[in-house]
Amino acid sequence: MERIGAALIDIDGVLTVSFKPLPGTVEAMESLRAAGLPLALVTNNTSRTRATIAAKLASAGYPVTAGDILTAPAVTAAYLREHHPGARCLFLNSGDVQDDLDGVTLVPEADDTAPDVVVFGGAGDEFTYACLNRAFRELQRGIPLIAMHRNLYWRTSGGLDLDTGAFLLGLEQAARVEATVTGKPAEAFFATALAHLGVTAAEALMVGDDIESDVLAAQRCGITGVLVKTGKYLPETHVSAPGTPDHVLDSFADLPALLERAGR
């Protein structure tokens, strides 16, 4: 902790729930800013663009801009441009993030011609049987499957909602394929965030409410992991997890005190 020079921070369930600030989190981020700690907000949110997320957070009082935010769609777009340039993508996602998909060609919903890649974003009402079945049939041709994340669920103001991972697991088994994941917990996602901040893994910490995709995944990359007991946190997933977080806090609001105790 004495070496911490930057913080990676999840958004959903850590700072906000359904974009409503959790108690004390705005003040905590203001404290980190005042201390001069470089921050990157790293999120698997696939329903909003970086600009939209930044605007909603700023309107709630968080001192952030679009430049502080790294999303799974933006990282996925970079991956597709590098590994599948010019590919026509069948994109299954809830929400409009097209502005963050520069250089990516999306197959229109009414276009029944064969795509080159199947891309999964975040789950929602768009995940109908017809759409999932079309993806299944396309994958049987042997084309790649890219997933922005494989989260099983996420926290909303109404409770926990199913997310992409719940559907992805079945599709992988049915089509006998394995998705390439580009968002958290992919190592490349954390590497991109570290490069964005200009720090090494040993100099950074990751704050998240998902013990596996946020915290343990970051720790496997050499980043200090901080689990918060908000958002999707459940005691049973904490106990049964295949690893132990470096630190556990009741809330992101407690992070400045943790850093102060460590002498940051």
Side-chain angles (χ1 to χ4, degrees), residues 151-165:
N151 296 349
L152 294 171
Y153 49 82
W154 63 298
R155 174 74 67 178
T156 72
S157 56
L160 294 177
D161 282 359
L162 282 177
D163 210 340
T164 299

Side-chain angles (χ1 to χ4, degrees), residues 189-201:
F189 185 94
F190 290 105
T192 299
L194 294 173
H196 175 73
L197 290 171
V199 296
T200 66

